[in-house]
Amino acid sequence: GTLNMRSLLALLKDEGERMRRTPSEQSLLMCEVDQFAGLNQKLGFAAGDAALRHTTSVIGRSLRKTDRLGRTPRGELVLFLPVTPAVGATLVAERTQAALRASPLLVNGQSVVLTLSMGVSSRESASTDAEAWLDLCRQGVERARREGGARVRVARLSAAQDINISGAETGLAPGVARTQRPTTRTPAA
């Protein structure tokens, strides 16, 4: 299942301890559904709840046995990726965007294409505090959202502990800007 915040923090602390014994890079991927408030306003709170369940389901289908999915009190989804550098986590984020786009949410007879603002960060040292690590990912999410959504931003701490955020656009249109009636087209062979 999806971890709550307390369980997520405990997991990150435990994994930090494991990292002290067996060094390996770990990554976090945090995401928010783009235009979530607009979805709630336009289609109702039940649609917002359905969007979160749908997004969680799409992410869950691509998890490895060692990956863990959690949710913060702010409603962000967080994916812990052990033994994964930032480059690998960025690929996971881009694949998640593509999978979500390929699997529209059906709400009140409308097909709603969801996109995500995503932040990725890697922990290269066991000394990185779990809450600080989550905050770093959150800054990547906020930057992706400010830039229009449907993006992945990688947040890193430099040697001077300054935050450097970079990333590439996913090529997807943000949010629920597009809704369409479901079609019965058959896929091309």
Side-chain angles (χ1 to χ4, degrees):
T2 303
L3 302 173
N4 64 23
M5 188 64 172
R6 185 176 355 152
S7 298
L8 180 61
L9 288 172
L11 170 74
L12 296 179
K13 182 181 177 198
D14 291 348
E15 290 295 334
E17 291 302 317
R18 183 186 325 268
M19 188 180 213
R20 286 185 207 289
R21 295 186 304 274
T22 311
S24 65
E25 200 167 356
Q26 303 171 343
S27 289
L28 280 181
L29 187 160
M30 182 181 284
C31 60
E32 288 184 350
V33 175
D34 291 326
Q35 308 296 323
F36 185 72
L39 177 66
N40 278 332
Q41 286 180 335
K42 184 177 178 183
L43 299 173
F45 291 111
D49 291 343
L52 290 175
R53 283 192 308 274
H54 180 70
T55 301
T56 301
S57 173
V58 168
I59 292 171
R61 287 193 293 261
S62 66
L63 295 180
R64 302 173 298 184
K65 288 181 182 181
T66 55
D67 299 339
R68 297 302 304 264
L69 181 63
R71 186 167 172 198
T72 70
R74 295 181 183 189
E76 301 140 328
L77 296 173
V78 179
L79 184 56
F80 172 71
L81 303 165
V83 194
T84 306
V87 137
T90 301
L91 290 173
V92 170
E94 290 171 353
R95 277 183 270 176
T96 299
Q97 288 277 26
L100 196 57
R101 182 178 168 95
S103 179
L105 173 66
L106 189 61
V107 178
N108 300 330
Q110 292 184 32
S111 179
V112 180
V113 177
L114 301 172
T115 60
L116 303 170
S117 291
M118 305 176 96
V120 169
S121 184
S122 288
R123 174 163 64 178
E124 298 171 9
S125 164
S127 65
T128 304
D129 175 71
E131 290 192 37
W133 193 18
L134 287 165
D135 286 341
L136 190 59
C137 280
R138 187 171 289 116
Q139 291 177 40
V141 170
E142 290 168 359
R143 171 110 182 244
R145 189 177 53 238
R146 278 193 314 272
E147 293 175 1
R151 288 169 172 70
V152 179
R153 292 294 176 250
V154 178
R156 292 182 179 89
L157 285 175
S158 71
Q161 298 299 308
D162 292 326
I163 297 170
N164 175 21
I165 300 176
S166 62
E169 295 181 27
T170 63
L172 304 176
V176 293
R178 288 178 286 132
T179 59
Q180 52 194 196
R181 297 268 176 223
T183 61
T184 55
R185 287 187 300 190
T186 56

